[in-house]
Amino acid sequence: FINRISSEAKPHHYSLFFLQAKDQHSVLQQMHEKMQDLYRTLSKFYVFDMKKYSLDEFFSDVKTFKEKFYVSM
C-alpha cells in the first residue's frame, strides 16, 4: 500500500492530516479550558475544593441527589 502512494502525494497527505489534527487539537483545548472555567464556577458556588473533589465525583453526587429527590416526592 505504501509503495503505491507517489512521493509527491505523501507530503500533501501529511500536511492535510497535520492541519486537521491541529484544528481539532485547538478546538479540544478550547473546550477543555471552558469546561475548567465552568467547573471552577461550580466549585465556588457549591463551595468545594476542585483539587479534592473531582468532576466525576461531583456529577455522580448530583445524579444521586436527583434520583433520591425524585423518589422522595
Side-chain angles (χ1 to χ4, degrees):
F1 177 74
I2 294 175
N3 293 334
R4 291 185 199 171
I5 300 174
S6 69
S7 61
E8 295 173 4
K10 285 182 186 178
H12 173 69
H13 288 297
Y14 291 142
S15 64
L16 182 62
F17 170 77
F18 177 74
L19 291 174
Q20 290 174 347
K22 187 176 177 182
D23 288 342
Q24 291 177 0
H25 179 265
S26 67
V27 167
L28 287 173
Q29 190 173 18
Q30 289 172 355
M31 290 171 66
H32 183 261
E33 289 172 6
K34 183 170 175 97
M35 184 184 70
Q36 289 292 89
D37 289 340
L38 292 171
Y39 188 53
R40 192 173 296 108
T41 303
L42 281 173
S43 73
K44 288 179 183 177
F45 183 78
Y46 288 107
V47 190
F48 63 85
D49 187 2
M50 289 176 48
K51 296 177 183 176
K52 293 181 180 178
Y53 194 50
S54 73
L55 187 63
D56 292 337
E57 286 179 295
F58 175 75
F59 282 112
S60 176
D61 288 347
V62 169
K63 180 184 173 207
T64 303
F65 174 80
K66 182 189 84 160
E67 291 168 350
K68 289 183 179 186
F69 181 79
Y70 284 137
V71 167
S72 69
M73 293 182 87

